[in-house]
Amino acid sequence: MRAKILVVDDDEKITSLLRRSLAFEGYDVLTAHDGRAGLQTMLETEPDLVVLDVMMPNLDGWEVCERIRKSGSKVPILMLTAKDEVKDRVKGLDLGADDYLVKPFALEELLARVRALLRRGSGGAETSGGRLVFEDLVLDLDSREAIRGGRTFELTSKEFDLLHLFMSNPRRVLTRETIMEKIWGYDYSGESNVLEVYIAMLRQKLEEGGEKRLIQTVRGTGYVLKGESG
């Protein structure tokens, strides 16, 4: 079955370009030219992926993203932003976006990220019950929530995938390249700090109650899930 992609952007040149390019790649493409119409289309059609611009009339992309997540939808969201500033990227990721791309972007990179997000969306969910446990941290594979220090906290789709990868490979050093390939599906770029942003967000949730750090940085290499006892 062909994947259905919704493109929400008020720039008609961009929506036209993406509609043609994504259709050429074999996807069914829907478009909307403002946030309110995009949200309504998403809720009515349940696409497999949403490409969402930030700056739009009626509702901006951040609010659309937030409302999509509040509706309970886990649809992958790729946000397009004109500003390459950490605070803007963090805001989108914190609201539940799975990835971001800065305008102007290379079409080949957007298509690669679309393919990666669709792969993750189709193959990343656990279908059987169970939990992963590392020291005082528990990852519930059914609810896709983490539990630590008596707190249960929600995870975005990418946060869950990232924590699942670490907890499936405890005490094993994972290189940046390995993490990017497994979570995002494309080669790590030294110019992108999306991984560092997600690590910081995940650490903030895991350590909110003053707990010790479990995701350790291995300088010049990557990261490792390791406790005080090793």
Side-chain angles (χ1 to χ4, degrees):
M1 183 178 296
R2 286 155 52 113
K4 185 190 306 178
I5 299 177
L6 171 62
V7 178
V8 187
D9 197 311
D10 64 328
D11 188 326
E12 293 188 7
K13 291 182 179 179
I14 290 180
T15 55
S16 178
L17 170 66
L18 295 184
R19 182 175 61 247
R20 295 195 307 270
S21 301
L22 292 168
F24 182 78
E25 293 292 316
Y27 303 115
D28 289 329
V29 186
L30 304 170
T31 61
H33 296 287
D34 65 66
R36 195 175 302 280
L39 180 62
Q40 181 175 353
T41 302
M42 199 290 303
L43 296 174
E44 291 176 350
T45 63
E46 298 183 356
D48 299 293
L49 184 144
V50 177
V51 179
L52 180 63
D53 185 36
V54 170
M55 301 305 295
M56 291 184 296
N58 293 328
L59 294 178
D60 63 30
W62 286 318
E63 188 165 357
V64 173
C65 180
E66 184 176 22
R67 293 192 184 189
I68 288 175
R69 292 299 180 237
K70 286 183 176 179
S71 75
S73 173
K74 299 293 186 180
V75 62
I77 298 175
L78 171 61
M79 297 199 77
L80 305 179
T81 175
K83 294 183 179 181
D84 187 17
E85 296 182 6
V86 172
K87 63 181 179 65
D88 292 303
R89 297 196 298 268
V90 169
K91 182 174 183 179
L93 296 172
D94 210 25
L95 290 173
D98 296 278
D99 203 355
Y100 65 87
L101 196 58
V102 178
K103 294 181 179 180
F105 53 82
L107 180 60
E108 293 80 6
E109 183 176 7
L110 181 139
L111 293 175
R113 296 194 183 201
V114 164
R115 289 192 294 270
L117 288 171
L118 287 173
R119 283 198 301 271
R120 295 301 304 175
S122 62
E126 297 282 346
T127 56
S128 60
R131 293 181 168 190
L132 291 176
V133 180
F134 182 80
E135 296 199 354
D136 61 341
L137 175 62
V138 178
L139 183 64
D140 190 307
L141 302 180
D142 289 331
S143 68
R144 299 173 71 88
E145 295 175 329
I147 305 167
R148 194 181 192 197
R151 296 176 291 111
T152 299
F153 44 92
E154 296 181 356
L155 300 169
T156 67
S157 176
K158 276 293 183 291
E159 287 172 347
F160 173 85
D161 292 340
L162 189 56
L163 187 55
H164 187 281
L165 177 62
F166 280 123
M167 295 186 70
S168 297
N169 297 274
R171 303 179 184 86
R172 175 187 172 190
V173 176
L174 301 175
T175 66
R176 289 178 172 81
E177 291 79 8
T178 296
I179 297 171
M180 291 297 292
E181 193 277 330
K182 289 186 176 294
I183 302 300
W184 279 268
Y186 54 85
D187 292 337
Y188 174 77
S189 170
E191 298 178 355
S192 171
N193 69 341
V194 62
L195 176 56
E196 284 70 24
V197 170
Y198 266 103
I199 291 290
M201 293 167 57
L202 194 51
R203 281 173 170 168
Q204 183 177 8
K205 290 186 177 181
L206 297 181
E207 301 165 15
E208 188 175 359
E211 294 86 358
K212 63 186 179 184
R213 177 154 296 180
L214 293 179
I215 301 176
Q216 309 286 346
T217 300
V218 180
R219 189 178 299 276
T221 303
Y223 300 92
V224 60
L225 183 72
K226 183 174 68 172
E228 292 181 346
S229 59

